[in-house]
Amino acid sequence: RLADAGFRHYEVSAYARPARECRHNLNYWRFGDYVGIGAGAHGKVTDVATGTVTRTTRVRQPGRYLAAAQPIERVAETRAVPATDLAFEFCLNALRLREGFDAALFEARTGQPWATVDTAVGAARIKGLLARGAGGRWFPTDLGQRFLNDLQAMFLPDAADGAPGSGAPGLASGGPIV
């Protein structure tokens, strides 16, 4: 019905007419930066000079947030994302989009070489979860969208070497779960 009404399924949980996609969410899914403002807000900022990705969380309670005398008192947590987690965090977001991503976007947003995810991408392709499209973009197949958590888990760092692997539970380590 949505397709008949001119909507396309552009993100795992969203439909929109062409050029009417939620730009706010597209920034998240493309692993862009954003500043969290307000009680309980989250932020992600990349230091271009060092390539460090930092996540922030603001104080949750509105009263405490508003009562803070200094802006720094409104920050509940600041943490640098370990380099070993960047590929997973990128894929956790980018794989939500039907358009997927290409090597250039991965490298620009994570500061890591494509080789970091090449093995996991290949394993996901073999399992039918990812396909390669025009311009070298990798995107989730219909099966990949259906089993998105399993696909994303394939990019979790392996405990042994910190590189993304395919040892995740469920579909990532075996056949389809149906």
Side-chain angles (χ1 to χ4, degrees):
R1 288 183 150 192
L2 287 169
D4 290 342
F7 289 79
R8 70 178 188 85
H9 189 194
Y10 75 97
E11 190 257 339
V12 70
S13 63
Y15 291 76
R17 289 194 168 110
R20 302 291 296 170
E21 297 90 352
C22 179
R23 291 182 303 224
H24 170 83
N25 286 346
L26 285 174
N27 182 56
Y28 296 148
W29 310 148
R30 292 176 179 150
F31 209 52
D33 288 343
Y34 50 95
V35 177
I37 299 173
H42 293 257
K44 175 191 165 281
V45 178
T46 304
D47 182 328
V48 180
T50 65
T52 303
V53 173
T54 302
R55 294 217 178 257
T56 59
T57 305
R58 302 290 175 171
V59 171
R60 278 183 179 231
Q61 301 80 9
R64 262 189 65 212
Y65 179 85
L66 292 171
Q70 299 295 319
I72 193 67
E73 295 172 3
R74 294 184 183 118
V75 178
E77 180 184 13
T78 299
R79 69 174 183 86
V81 177
T84 55
D85 292 351
L86 286 173
F88 170 68
E89 286 214 15
F90 175 88
C91 290
L92 184 68
N93 290 282
L95 290 172
R96 292 182 61 91
L97 294 173
R98 307 246 341 147
E99 72 184 32
F101 63 93
D102 60 19
L105 181 65
F106 173 81
E107 291 176 349
R109 297 295 166 94
T110 66
Q112 298 184 348
W114 180 254
T116 306
V117 293
D118 193 48
T119 300
V121 166
R125 184 192 57 76
I126 289 168
K127 293 177 186 292
L129 302 175
L130 280 181
R132 191 167 187 181
R137 293 187 75 78
W138 289 95
F139 62 92
T141 62
D142 289 340
L143 184 66
Q145 283 269 296
R146 187 171 171 204
F147 294 100
L148 185 60
N149 289 345
D150 293 297
L151 172 57
Q152 293 165 326
M154 293 180 76
F155 294 89
L156 282 167
D158 285 337
D161 61 9
S166 58
L171 183 61
S173 63
I177 304 166
V178 254

